[in-house]
Structure formats: C-alpha cells, structure tokens
Amino acid sequence: MRTFRLVISCPDRVGIVAKVSNFLAAHNGWITEASHHSDNQVGWFFMRHEIRADSLPFGIEVLREKFAPIAEEFSMDWRITDTEQKKRVVLMASRESHCLADLLHRWHSDELDCEISCVISNHDDLRSMVEWHGIPYYHVPVNPQDKQPAFDEVSRLVKHHDAEVVVLARYMQILPPDMCREYAHKVINIHHSFLPSFVGAKPYHQASMRGVKLIGATCHYVTEELDAGPIIEQDVVRVSHSDSIEDMVRFGRDVEKMVLARGLRYHLEDRVLVHGNKTVVF
Amino acid sequence: MRTFRLVISCPDRVGIVAKVSNFLAAHNGWITEASHHSDNQVGWFFMRHEIRADSLPFGIEVLREKFAPIAEEFSMDWRITDTEQKKRVVLMASRESHCLADLLHRWHSDELDCEISCVISNHDDLRSMVEWHGIPYYHVPVNPQDKQPAFDEVSRLVKHHDAEVVVLARYMQILPPDMCREYAHKVINIHHSFLPSFVGAKPYHQASMRGVKLIGATCHYVTEELDAGPIIEQDVVRVSHSDSIEDMVRFGRDVEKMVLARGLRYHLEDRVLVHGNKTVVF
Amino acid sequence: MRTFRLVISCPDRVGIVAKVSNFLAAHNGWITEASHHSDNQVGWFFMRHEIRADSLPFGIEVLREKFAPIAEEFSMDWRITDTEQKKRVVLMASRESHCLADLLHRWHSDELDCEISCVISNHDDLRSMVEWHGIPYYHVPVNPQDKQPAFDEVSRLVKHHDAEVVVLARYMQILPPDMCREYAHKVINIHHSFLPSFVGAKPYHQASMRGVKLIGATCHYVTEELDAGPIIEQDVVRVSHSDSIEDMVRFGRDVEKMVLARGLRYHLEDRVLVHGNKTVVF
Amino acid sequence: MRTFRLVISCPDRVGIVAKVSNFLAAHNGWITEASHHSDNQVGWFFMRHEIRADSLPFGIEVLREKFAPIAEEFSMDWRITDTEQKKRVVLMASRESHCLADLLHRWHSDELDCEISCVISNHDDLRSMVEWHGIPYYHVPVNPQDKQPAFDEVSRLVKHHDAEVVVLARYMQILPPDMCREYAHKVINIHHSFLPSFVGAKPYHQASMRGVKLIGATCHYVTEELDAGPIIEQDVVRVSHSDSIEDMVRFGRDVEKMVLARGLRYHLEDRVLVHGNKTVVF
C-alpha cells in the first residue's frame, strides 16, 4: 500500500497536532500510523504520519505545496516522502562479509525497501557475492600513506549514483571530515561495541580485557568525532568467562547484523529524527 | 504534574484524530503524551492522550461534558481520568510473598501511584509484613469443600473498599465465574508461565518436563476461562538443563514480580485498552 | 586446533569423573573443555570433554579401543568424534529463503564447521542461490495427493549423500514416521513459535489471535509427534499491538535463523545429549 | 542438602582434574556440581566442586588437611567452604531503598543463604524497614568536610560484626582506599550503569545525554579505582526517546536490584573466582 510520510520537528507549542490533523482530515487523508513526541528538556516537538496516498485527492507535489504554509507557521523542519520512491543506498564494506551478506539477502528477499545502487569496498574479496545479486561492485583500495585519492573516488561514486544513504557495513576505514559533514545524518555506521564503551579499534579485545558480561553493537550516524554520532539502535548479547575473544567476535557478528539491519530499516522508513546528538525513532 | 487522561476506542474512520485534536487545541489543552492505533483486521481505532490539567480553563467534569458529543458522534467507548484521583486497589495473595512484597515496596516508595485499600489472603502468613505498611489485612480462609462462603466474603470486602482494581498477586485460588464477570477487565492476575503454554497448576513442573529453554510469566485480565484472558504483559528468562525445578521457581519469581508490576502500572496509568481478547498497551 | 570430543551419558554413580579424568591424564590428554551434569530426577549422568589430539600418543581409533572397557564398566552411551572429520549435512527448504541463506553464509564464511552435501527442496526457487555456493540442489516436488514417492526420493538422496544430519530449514512438509524413526536425533527442525505454544500451522497467526507480547522460535529434533521432539534451543522477541501479522513474520524470521544456527552449531560440536524427551546442551 | 565447596585456581597444566577427581573418588565423595575453566590467554585454571558432606567419611577439617598436599603440589589458591556455615554480610545503604528492600526480602524468604549482621547507613530513613526484619541498624552520618571519622566507625562496625562480605546497596559514598585494600574481593557494589560506560556520578543523566538505547547496571568488586573493579554481573533494559531521565531511573532500579541480587548470590555460593581484574563465574 502506497503511503506518504510526513515527518516534522519543530519548537513545541500548543496546537501543532490539531493543525496537522485538521489539515489531513480536511483533505480526507487516511492516517495509517501516527507518532508524536515532545522533548520537554529541549522544548522540541517531533511527529510522523503515514497517510494512504489513494485517500488524498492530489499527489505528493500538491500535498507539499499545501502543507508548506503550516510548516512555515510553526518553523518546522519537515519532509514528505513517498513509499514508491525507493531510496538509493550505497553500501560500503571491507573484508568481513556478515553485515553485507545480511543486508543483500534482506534486499533480495524484498524485506528492505530500497534500491542498492552499488557496493564500494577497499578489498576485492566480496565481488562475486555482490555481483550475483546484480549489483555493481567497485574496488577502491585505500593507500595507508595517502588515503585522500581513495576517498575522492568514493565521493565521486557516491555522487555518481546519487546516493541518499551510505551504509558502512563494517567498512574499516574512517571517512574524512568533509564527507561526514556533506552527508550529515546520511551515513550509517555499525560499531561493534555497546557505545560509548570501547570506542575505536578492536572493541571485542577491549571488552575481553575489561571482563564485561554483555557485549553489543551500535548503529549510529557518522559524524566527525569517531563513534560519537547520534545513536539509532543498539543491542547486546550475554558472554561469560568461557568465551574467548573469537567467540565474542562470532556472537558479536550476529548482534551487528541485526542492529544494522534494524537501524537501516528505521532510516529507510523515515522513522529516525535527529535533534542535537540524539535520535527520536518512531 | 496533574494530567487528565482521555482514553478512547471506537470504529475506525477518517477524521477522529482531527476532531479530538481540534477539540483539545480549541481549549488550549497541552498534550504531554499522545498515542494512536488502528487495528486494520477488526477496523477499530484506539487513542490515548495525557493533557496538562492546568492548561485547560475548566475542570474534569466540564471536560467530560464538552467531550460527550464528540464521543457520541463517533460511537466511542471512552473515559477521562484524573491523575489526582488515585485508583483504589485490593491485593490478594496466598502464602508466597514475592509479588506482594514487591508491589508493597513499589507503593511505599511512591513508584506505584494508587491507593492500596487492603490485602485479602486465604492464609495468615503475610499479615505482619502488610500491617507494617499500615494496610488492613483480611484473612479469609477457603474451605476446599465449600468455597462459596469465602468468595462471598471476598466479594463483600472488595465492595466495602470500593475497589477499582483487584490484583491476584499469586493468589492460588480460582475466582468464581460471577466475580470474573462482575469485575471484567478489573481483575489482574500473574500466571507463572509464558501463556498459552502451561495453563493451570504447576507450570514450572510442566516446563521442566517439556524441556523448554526459556520460562516466563504472564500478566492478564481474569476471565471465566482459566488463564485465557487478555494478556497485558509477558516476559521470559533463560534456563538450562542444569536448572532444577527449584531453580526455575526461583528465577520465575523475579520474572513474575517484574511482569506483574509492569502490567499493574500500565493499568493504573490507563494505558491498557481491551478489545475482544486482546489488549492495546500504549 | 584439532580436538577429540568424548561424549558420555550413563547411570549416575560415584567415581565416573575420576575414572575418566584418570584415563585421560594417564595418557597425558590435554583437556580444553569439560562439562558435567547430573540429572537427579532421573539419576543420569552426562559428560563431555574436548581433548587436544596432539597431546595424546595415539590416534582416535586407539583412543576408542582403550576407552571401551571403561564405557562398558559404567554402561555408558558414548562416542568419540574428531573435529577434523566434518559432519555431512543435508539441508531441506521450501520457498522461504532466510534460514537457508543464513546457514549457507555461515558455512561459506567458515563459521559452521561441517560439509553441506546438498540442498533438497520441494520447490525450485532457491536453486541459483544454492548453486552459487557450489552445492548440489535437488528439486523434489511433493504431490499433495501422494507424498510417498517424494519422500522415497528424499530418503534415497539422504542415503546417497551419507548424511549424518538433516536440517529442515523451513521445509514446510511433515516427514513420514519411518524417516523420523530412522534418523532419530539426527533431523533438526526450526519451528516458528515458542513451543509448546502454537504447534502446527500458521503459528504467527495463532500468536496474533492470542495477543501474546513475545513471539519465538524453537529448534528441536524431529520425532513422530508433530513439533513435540526434544528442544535444543529457543528464543523470543518482543511484539506489540502495533505489529501486524506481517511484522511478526518479519521479526520471527530473525529469531528463526538465529535459533536454528545456534541449535545446529551445538549439534555439530557434539554439545547436545538427548535423554528421554529432553536435551542437555553443554 | 549440606555440601562442601572446593574452589581452586592455579597455573594450568595436565592432570589437575584427574588428581582432584581421584582424591574425591578415593574418599567416595559424591560430586553434585562440577565446573572447570582454562583461561588460555593467561594460562590459568579454575575449578569448583560441590560435594555432598554426608558422602565423605570425615568432616571439613580433615578434608582440608588431606587436600592440602595436592594444593601445594599444584600451587593452588584454594578454599573449602561449608554450606552450613552461613556467610556474615553487612549491608550498606543511603536513602534509596530498592536494593536494600529487595535483598532483605530475599533473605527473609530464605532465598539468600547468609546471615545479615547489620545495616549501616549514612541516613536514618530506612531504619524502620530494617528493624522490622530484626536486623540491627547503624546510622553513621558522613561529614562532607571530614569523612574519615565516619569511615573509621564503619570499619569498626564491620570488624565488630566479623563481616565476610560488605554489600554497597546504593551506598552513595566512596569507600577510602585502605578499606578497599583490606577487604579486597569482599566488598560488592552495584553501579547504576553498564560499565565501563558512565563511570561516576549521575550515570542515568549521562546515558540520557548520550542518547543510548539501552541502560544497565553492573555488580562489581570494589577496588581503589572508582567503578573499575572486577565485574561479577551486568544486565540492561531497553529505553527509548520517550523515556525521561526519571523513567530511566525507574527502569534502572529494577535492573540494579536484579543484578545485585544475582551477583551477591554468586558470591555467597562461592561461584566467583577473581583473577587479575576479571572474574570467572561458575
């Protein structure tokens, strides 16, 4: 069922819900899902509606046009998206295949509603798996002495494919700051620890050293500060003294792929609203 | 902060949210929490709002009066409650103290927002614990050959205390059908299994026999059919071959008290809407 | 690191551990993992050791020979396996790909230590995915009016590939009783509910009807009685009123594949000991 | 059933299990539970046995005497404890009652097998609750300008009651370094975050600021470095954008009390072996 998604955040005040509900009701909009949240600490309001496209007497362009004055009145940060316009996603990976294979299978079996434009990797290992899915694979090696040419090429490919979302599916390189800024809230990473614990390299080794009883994974938007961006989703799994680091890595893989798949899905469904360094996930 | 809670369920159609939101906005109502749900399978709509009492220019009686025509127009099943009117709760227990002690402590430390009118038990074991909290304790023994007199007395006490909610905190007797009917959706039970598995007596023994790897607890409204009423909340805990039935009972106690406390809290906060044999928990 | 696995179950009595430990120490066996369990209800003892192959002065055949007298003395049900002898696994599937794809990827990335001899399916949909992995694919359609010829062919293929384990990775057909008997404790199924709740067809529909707040999956050995065999592993995921049956099916897929992968791994590592209708999982 | 618990850690080598098992079998010891662990990274071995006291032909003193040569041979750090000798526990609390009330109820209902010698608090709020249980309550106020006199008095009370374990049940003061050293691996704290995230004060505020999607609690041994001692147990609970800091505090209370109760139980049952800054929990 085709729906339009109206996603709003704005300073909180009385009457926002009424105004928006009225607007939708006036045009006979059939709301299939509605979510609100008021953050009292920062005085901000968040709202997301799914509206059946066929219940409205006009298309998305007219809907945007008619809604614009309300958005202006309430100083809204807003967007209206169309479930028939699949988002273009670029996946990036290195050598580890579990997250990439998981996302590709979800896409292949119609669970992830998006277009996968291409896969970019700094290694060539996963080419055959990707190409079996009919998706272009770009091998862009990164020279440790001079990484900029590689990132220029990555940037070019992302632009060329007009990507709306970039997913770092265990891409083991740190994106340069200007790319983080340019694609703010559009680059999704999976970090293999329960952040803010164990930022940076080898988090399972860090976890083993500290003797924690649960390990986790965190899906977050990439910002200039390493592993510090707004968190979209997290989960954990129990470990014990009898689990080696290799066991932790193995358990961790399952958490990583589940958390990344959920986080990406929320993003694709326009469920994630960022405010400051925190997310609202409807 | 004092709020009024407007809780609605009605046949689904376009315009309900707009009508209700408009109504609240027209009176300057400050919505602190709003939840909607459309059940497409049965075509029913559910909604719950919390509104700051001090944002409205009138009290709850006028609010109800003014809302009544809308409720009628949409054939709503509805109520408006006031957080300053604490619900009167009667707790019932037998010999096992864990659920009762847990609820009493939550009430004593102001976590559970209700009035505990009294505790009724078919044993006298827990009297001192209850009376330390300043709560009346009634010992109503049940004669296995003739249970009716006991239930008549229970019924009299519940009426005498004008109870709005009855909580079976491991009360090991089955309430008579007429009481189930009279207090429909007002009697909350904790069953020590993950229903619908292991209905009836000795569920941990049944679970051990079947060799399950997780055991659970279920908080539900009591209906005439044993352990078959609408489920409010459930949870589970992992067990293994090394856990004896006694271990399961011990693990289970923790799940039982958590699940019952959550279920009761949802009920007290008017978050549970029953439709058919299912609940919506906002 | 190559290890031998000594797996034992026998009537419980004093001295078993001493006898076995002595035996291993006398031959300088380096134990890398040891697990014991006494089931006091049935008076049965279970034990599993992993021993470094290179710490012993002889091979597995001599080890078996030397251990045989101890096994006889204690009336043991026992086996010694070699991690270098990968178990031969036949996977069976229907149209749903998530469990099959998950197992194939784990095998492909060396996480599942086994040989996948072939995939048998009553549909032809998943052929290309399987063949990409270099694994033979057999399409054996099942005629609803006369299923026996299909099962005869399945049986022939399983024998032809000398399978030690058969995994029903969402194979939506019920195996005939004689095959269940012939491959007792060797056929592993994933059932898409938290057994014993929702035996049989369409468990997610049953779960939705009952209004449960958690749904689950169960990995178990297949026996003649439907969905009633010894449980190897289970897990659950939280659902709410806002989740449709389609959402449940989607959440359920993730639980199914995790639970099946864990259950199969336990089996392949000789961690599962069956006694009566229950399992010990070391 | 009375058991003796033999708990061992020592440098790993071949033959330890055989030696110990032989020793127990030679005296007809009936092992009800046995656990081993080899930490390959540090080359250390850990073992715990429960032996039925009535299966041995002598008492605990003779058992210790006879075992001593083996312990010496293998350079073991070891102890043998008797389930009939309940450990003496001193509980410490401040104003928050949830952990204290939970532990007292578990003790009162015979779930926690120990002697609670007394409760020490820097406030007088919880006196009545404690005294209802028949346990002495000491109010030792802490002067923020000069804390030493208070800690001297705490130390005197702990000695006076000959405590074997001190539990900080949300005692909101930092113990002085000399006390941490004197009672190494004997002081158990519950920290209200998933360590190592959010060390120090106001962890729920820190968690809310960082926007995490799970919050947790950690039970650990107290060392001189704040919140950095060996971790015994941890757990988490899911939160969302709609949960205020107050909600987090409330959810957190339930995790804290469960995690502390489990951690203390493991300690009382001699299941926790510390090596370096990590624990083995059998």
Side-chain angles (χ1 to χ4, degrees):
Chain A
M1 189 183 54
R2 181 186 193 176
T3 60
F4 298 143
R5 295 174 184 143
L6 170 59
V7 182
I8 291 166
S9 67
C10 61
D12 201 4
R13 63 186 238 211
V14 168
I16 308 173
V17 178
K19 194 78 175 202
V20 174
S21 307
N22 253 348
F23 169 80
L24 293 173
H27 298 297
N28 212 36
W30 183 332
I31 299 166
T32 61
E33 195 180 327
S35 314
H36 314 178
H37 173 59
S38 296
D39 186 325
N40 298 320
Q41 284 186 294
V42 294
W44 219 257
F45 181 77
F46 306 86
M47 186 159 53
R48 178 186 181 276
H49 281 93
E50 291 222 25
I51 308 125
R52 285 184 62 153
D54 62 8
S55 70
L56 293 171
F58 39 65
I60 193 166
E61 287 310 325
V62 176
L63 178 60
R64 284 177 182 143
E65 219 170 84
K66 287 183 181 291
F67 188 72
I70 296 177
E72 192 163 355
E73 182 187 345
F74 289 84
S75 308
M76 290 173 176
D77 183 8
W78 67 292
R79 65 182 184 273
I80 300 176
T81 62
D82 179 350
T83 52
E84 297 223 329
Q85 294 296 316
K86 301 193 179 197
K87 290 190 177 64
R88 289 175 303 280
V89 177
V90 166
L91 302 179
M92 298 184 71
S94 290
R95 276 203 167 105
E96 291 243 45
S97 62
H98 57 286
C99 283
L100 188 66
D102 183 76
L103 293 181
L104 290 175
H105 178 263
R106 289 177 198 271
W107 171 81
H108 183 69
S109 57
D110 292 327
E111 187 183 302
L112 269 188
D113 194 31
C114 63
E115 194 182 289
I116 299 188
S117 309
C118 69
V119 172
I120 305 173
S121 176
N122 53 334
H123 296 282
D124 211 30
D125 310 41
L126 307 175
R127 176 182 296 278
S128 152
M129 185 178 82
V130 171
E131 291 183 346
W132 180 84
H133 289 86
I135 295 171
Y137 186 89
Y138 299 102
H139 177 203
V140 183
V142 176
N143 177 350
Q145 266 66 53
D146 181 12
K147 300 187 167 189
Q148 198 53 47
F151 290 126
D152 288 345
E153 175 63 5
V154 166
S155 192
R156 194 192 65 76
L157 286 167
V158 169
K159 275 191 178 52
H160 171 74
H161 286 283
D162 200 13
E164 292 158 294
V165 192
V166 176
V167 177
L168 307 186
R170 298 297 309 271
Y171 180 68
M172 304 308 281
Q173 299 288 330
I174 298 171
L175 292 192
D178 59 332
M179 205 171 160
C180 296
R181 276 192 302 271
E182 186 175 354
Y183 291 91
H185 306 161
K186 288 180 179 165
V187 182
I188 294 176
N189 184 44
I190 180 72
H191 182 73
H192 40 318
S193 87
F194 182 69
L195 290 175
S197 292
F198 313 132
V199 164
K202 292 196 170 288
Y204 294 125
H205 287 73
Q206 295 183 53
S208 174
M209 289 289 292
R210 182 62 189 93
V212 292
K213 301 300 183 186
L214 300 164
I215 55 169
T218 303
C219 177
H220 65 98
Y221 290 114
V222 170
T223 57
E224 291 177 64
E225 189 183 345
L226 183 65
D227 298 332
I231 294 172
I232 305 171
E233 173 65 337
Q234 301 186 290
D235 215 338
V236 293
V237 65
R238 189 161 282 272
V239 294
S240 83
H241 59 265
S242 67
D243 295 310
S244 65
I245 292 177
E246 291 68 38
D247 292 326
M248 287 189 182
V249 168
R250 178 166 53 84
F251 291 150
R253 280 198 296 258
D254 281 342
V255 185
E256 291 163 34
K257 64 196 192 193
M258 303 286 275
V259 166
L260 177 57
R262 289 203 296 257
L264 176 57
R265 184 184 180 91
Y266 298 151
H267 181 94
L268 293 175
E269 294 182 353
D270 297 295
R271 295 185 179 282
V272 190
L273 290 76
V274 183
H275 190 75
N277 203 41
K278 295 169 64 171
T279 62
V280 168
V281 182
F282 282 132
Chain B
M1 189 183 56
R2 183 185 191 175
T3 59
F4 298 143
R5 295 175 184 140
L6 170 59
V7 182
I8 291 165
S9 67
C10 63
D12 200 4
R13 63 185 238 213
V14 167
I16 308 174
V17 177
K19 194 78 175 202
V20 174
S21 306
N22 255 347
F23 168 80
L24 293 174
H27 298 297
N28 212 36
W30 182 332
I31 299 166
T32 61
E33 194 180 326
S35 314
H36 313 177
H37 174 59
S38 296
D39 186 326
N40 297 322
Q41 283 186 297
V42 295
W44 219 257
F45 180 77
F46 306 86
M47 186 159 53
R48 178 186 181 277
H49 282 93
E50 291 222 27
I51 308 125
R52 285 183 63 152
D54 62 8
S55 70
L56 293 171
F58 39 65
I60 194 167
E61 285 311 323
V62 177
L63 178 61
R64 283 177 183 142
E65 219 170 82
K66 286 183 181 292
F67 188 73
I70 296 176
E72 193 162 354
E73 182 188 343
F74 289 85
S75 309
M76 289 174 177
D77 183 6
W78 66 292
R79 63 183 186 274
I80 300 176
T81 62
D82 178 350
T83 51
E84 295 223 330
Q85 295 296 316
K86 299 191 180 199
K87 291 191 176 62
R88 289 175 303 280
V89 178
V90 166
L91 302 179
M92 298 185 70
S94 288
R95 276 203 166 105
E96 291 243 44
S97 63
H98 57 286
C99 283
L100 188 66
D102 183 75
L103 293 181
L104 289 175
H105 178 262
R106 288 176 197 270
W107 171 81
H108 183 68
S109 55
D110 291 328
E111 185 182 305
L112 268 189
D113 194 31
C114 63
E115 194 182 288
I116 299 188
S117 308
C118 69
V119 172
I120 304 174
S121 175
N122 53 335
H123 295 282
D124 211 29
D125 310 41
L126 306 176
R127 176 181 296 279
S128 153
M129 185 179 82
V130 171
E131 291 182 346
W132 179 85
H133 289 87
I135 294 171
Y137 187 88
Y138 299 102
H139 177 203
V140 183
V142 175
N143 177 350
Q145 267 66 53
D146 182 11
K147 300 187 168 190
Q148 199 52 49
F151 290 126
D152 289 346
E153 177 61 5
V154 166
S155 193
R156 195 192 63 75
L157 286 167
V158 169
K159 276 193 175 55
H160 172 73
H161 286 283
D162 200 13
E164 291 158 292
V165 192
V166 176
V167 177
L168 308 185
R170 296 297 310 271
Y171 179 69
M172 305 306 283
Q173 299 288 329
I174 298 170
L175 292 192
D178 60 331
M179 206 171 157
C180 295
R181 278 193 300 270
E182 189 176 352
Y183 292 91
H185 306 162
K186 289 180 179 164
V187 182
I188 294 174
N189 184 45
I190 181 72
H191 182 71
H192 40 318
S193 88
F194 183 70
L195 290 173
S197 291
F198 313 132
V199 163
K202 292 194 171 291
Y204 294 124
H205 286 73
Q206 295 183 53
S208 174
M209 290 290 292
R210 182 62 189 90
V212 292
K213 301 300 183 187
L214 300 164
I215 55 169
T218 304
C219 176
H220 64 98
Y221 290 114
V222 171
T223 57
E224 290 177 64
E225 189 183 344
L226 183 65
D227 299 331
I231 294 171
I232 305 170
E233 173 63 339
Q234 302 187 287
D235 216 337
V236 294
V237 65
R238 191 161 282 273
V239 293
S240 83
H241 60 265
S242 67
D243 295 309
S244 65
I245 292 176
E246 291 69 38
D247 293 326
M248 287 189 181
V249 168
R250 177 164 55 84
F251 292 149
R253 280 198 296 258
D254 281 342
V255 185
E256 291 164 32
K257 63 195 193 194
M258 303 286 276
V259 166
L260 177 56
R262 288 203 295 257
L264 176 56
R265 183 184 182 90
Y266 298 151
H267 180 94
L268 292 174
E269 294 183 353
D270 297 296
R271 295 186 180 282
V272 190
L273 290 77
V274 183
H275 190 76
N277 202 43
K278 294 169 66 170
T279 62
V280 169
V281 181
F282 283 132
Chain C
M1 191 182 53
R2 184 185 190 176
T3 61
F4 297 144
R5 294 175 185 142
L6 169 59
V7 182
I8 292 165
S9 66
C10 62
D12 200 3
R13 65 185 235 211
V14 168
I16 308 173
V17 177
K19 195 79 174 200
V20 175
S21 307
N22 255 346
F23 169 80
L24 293 173
H27 298 297
N28 212 34
W30 183 332
I31 300 166
T32 60
E33 194 180 327
S35 314
H36 312 178
H37 174 59
S38 297
D39 186 325
N40 298 322
Q41 283 186 297
V42 296
W44 219 257
F45 180 77
F46 306 86
M47 187 159 52
R48 178 185 182 278
H49 282 93
E50 291 222 27
I51 307 125
R52 283 182 64 151
D54 62 8
S55 69
L56 292 171
F58 39 65
I60 194 165
E61 287 310 325
V62 177
L63 178 62
R64 283 179 183 139
E65 221 170 82
K66 287 185 180 291
F67 188 73
I70 295 176
E72 193 164 351
E73 181 187 343
F74 289 86
S75 308
M76 290 174 175
D77 184 6
W78 67 292
R79 64 182 185 275
I80 300 177
T81 62
D82 178 350
T83 51
E84 295 224 330
Q85 294 297 316
K86 300 193 179 200
K87 291 189 176 64
R88 289 176 303 281
V89 178
V90 165
L91 302 179
M92 298 185 69
S94 288
R95 277 204 165 104
E96 291 243 44
S97 62
H98 56 287
C99 283
L100 188 65
D102 182 75
L103 293 180
L104 290 175
H105 178 263
R106 288 176 198 271
W107 170 81
H108 183 69
S109 55
D110 292 326
E111 185 183 305
L112 269 188
D113 194 31
C114 63
E115 194 182 288
I116 299 188
S117 308
C118 70
V119 172
I120 305 173
S121 175
N122 53 334
H123 295 283
D124 211 30
D125 310 42
L126 307 176
R127 176 181 295 278
S128 153
M129 185 178 82
V130 171
E131 292 182 345
W132 180 84
H133 289 86
I135 295 171
Y137 187 89
Y138 299 102
H139 177 203
V140 182
V142 176
N143 176 350
Q145 266 67 53
D146 181 11
K147 300 186 167 188
Q148 198 51 50
F151 291 125
D152 289 346
E153 176 62 5
V154 166
S155 192
R156 196 191 63 76
L157 286 167
V158 169
K159 275 193 179 51
H160 171 74
H161 286 283
D162 199 13
E164 292 158 293
V165 192
V166 177
V167 177
L168 309 185
R170 298 297 310 271
Y171 180 67
M172 306 306 282
Q173 298 288 330
I174 298 171
L175 292 191
D178 59 334
M179 205 173 159
C180 296
R181 276 193 302 270
E182 188 175 353
Y183 292 92
H185 307 163
K186 290 181 179 163
V187 183
I188 294 175
N189 184 43
I190 181 72
H191 182 72
H192 41 318
S193 87
F194 183 70
L195 290 174
S197 291
F198 314 131
V199 164
K202 291 194 171 287
Y204 295 123
H205 287 73
Q206 295 182 54
S208 173
M209 289 289 292
R210 182 62 188 91
V212 292
K213 301 300 184 188
L214 301 164
I215 56 169
T218 303
C219 176
H220 65 99
Y221 290 114
V222 170
T223 57
E224 290 177 64
E225 188 183 343
L226 183 65
D227 298 332
I231 293 171
I232 305 170
E233 173 63 338
Q234 301 187 289
D235 216 337
V236 294
V237 65
R238 191 161 280 273
V239 293
S240 83
H241 60 264
S242 67
D243 295 311
S244 65
I245 292 176
E246 291 70 37
D247 292 325
M248 288 189 182
V249 168
R250 177 165 55 82
F251 292 149
R253 280 198 296 257
D254 281 342
V255 184
E256 291 162 35
K257 63 195 192 193
M258 303 285 277
V259 166
L260 177 56
R262 289 202 297 257
L264 176 56
R265 183 183 181 90
Y266 298 150
H267 181 93
L268 292 175
E269 294 182 353
D270 297 295
R271 296 184 179 281
V272 190
L273 291 75
V274 183
H275 190 75
N277 203 42
K278 295 168 65 170
T279 62
V280 168
V281 182
F282 283 132
Chain D
M1 190 183 54
R2 182 185 192 176
T3 60
F4 297 143
R5 293 174 185 143
L6 170 59
V7 182
I8 291 166
S9 66
C10 62
D12 200 4
R13 64 184 236 212
V14 167
I16 308 174
V17 177
K19 194 79 174 200
V20 175
S21 307
N22 254 348
F23 169 81
L24 294 174
H27 298 296
N28 213 35
W30 182 332
I31 299 166
T32 61
E33 195 179 327
S35 313
H36 313 179
H37 173 59
S38 296
D39 186 325
N40 297 323
Q41 284 187 294
V42 295
W44 219 255
F45 181 75
F46 306 86
M47 185 159 53
R48 178 185 180 277
H49 282 94
E50 292 222 25
I51 308 126
R52 283 184 62 153
D54 63 7
S55 70
L56 293 171
F58 38 65
I60 194 165
E61 287 310 325
V62 177
L63 179 61
R64 284 178 183 142
E65 221 169 83
K66 287 182 181 293
F67 188 72
I70 296 176
E72 195 164 351
E73 182 187 343
F74 289 85
S75 308
M76 289 175 175
D77 183 6
W78 67 291
R79 63 184 187 274
I80 300 177
T81 61
D82 179 350
T83 52
E84 295 224 330
Q85 295 295 318
K86 300 192 179 198
K87 290 190 177 64
R88 289 175 303 280
V89 178
V90 166
L91 303 179
M92 299 185 70
S94 289
R95 276 204 165 104
E96 291 244 43
S97 63
H98 58 286
C99 283
L100 188 66
D102 182 74
L103 293 181
L104 290 174
H105 179 263
R106 288 178 198 269
W107 170 81
H108 183 68
S109 56
D110 292 328
E111 186 183 303
L112 268 188
D113 194 30
C114 63
E115 195 183 288
I116 299 187
S117 307
C118 69
V119 173
I120 304 174
S121 175
N122 53 334
H123 295 281
D124 211 30
D125 310 40
L126 307 175
R127 176 182 295 279
S128 152
M129 187 179 81
V130 171
E131 291 183 346
W132 180 85
H133 289 86
I135 294 171
Y137 187 90
Y138 298 102
H139 177 204
V140 182
V142 176
N143 177 349
Q145 266 66 51
D146 181 13
K147 298 186 169 190
Q148 198 52 49
F151 290 127
D152 290 345
E153 175 62 7
V154 166
S155 193
R156 197 192 62 77
L157 286 168
V158 169
K159 276 192 177 52
H160 172 73
H161 285 284
D162 200 13
E164 292 158 292
V165 193
V166 176
V167 178
L168 308 186
R170 296 298 309 272
Y171 180 67
M172 305 306 282
Q173 299 287 329
I174 298 170
L175 292 192
D178 59 333
M179 206 172 159
C180 294
R181 278 193 300 270
E182 188 175 352
Y183 291 91
H185 308 163
K186 290 181 179 163
V187 182
I188 294 174
N189 184 45
I190 180 73
H191 182 72
H192 40 317
S193 87
F194 183 70
L195 290 174
S197 291
F198 313 132
V199 164
K202 293 196 170 289
Y204 294 125
H205 286 73
Q206 294 183 54
S208 174
M209 288 290 293
R210 182 61 188 91
V212 293
K213 300 301 184 187
L214 300 163
I215 56 169
T218 304
C219 177
H220 65 98
Y221 290 114
V222 170
T223 57
E224 291 177 62
E225 189 183 344
L226 184 65
D227 299 332
I231 294 171
I232 306 171
E233 172 66 337
Q234 302 187 288
D235 216 337
V236 294
V237 65
R238 191 161 279 274
V239 293
S240 83
H241 60 264
S242 67
D243 295 309
S244 65
I245 292 176
E246 291 69 39
D247 292 326
M248 287 189 181
V249 168
R250 177 165 55 81
F251 291 149
R253 279 198 298 257
D254 280 343
V255 184
E256 291 163 33
K257 63 196 193 195
M258 304 286 276
V259 166
L260 177 57
R262 289 202 296 256
L264 177 56
R265 183 184 182 90
Y266 298 151
H267 181 94
L268 292 175
E269 293 182 353
D270 296 296
R271 295 184 179 281
V272 190
L273 290 76
V274 183
H275 190 75
N277 202 41
K278 294 169 65 171
T279 62
V280 168
V281 182
F282 282 132

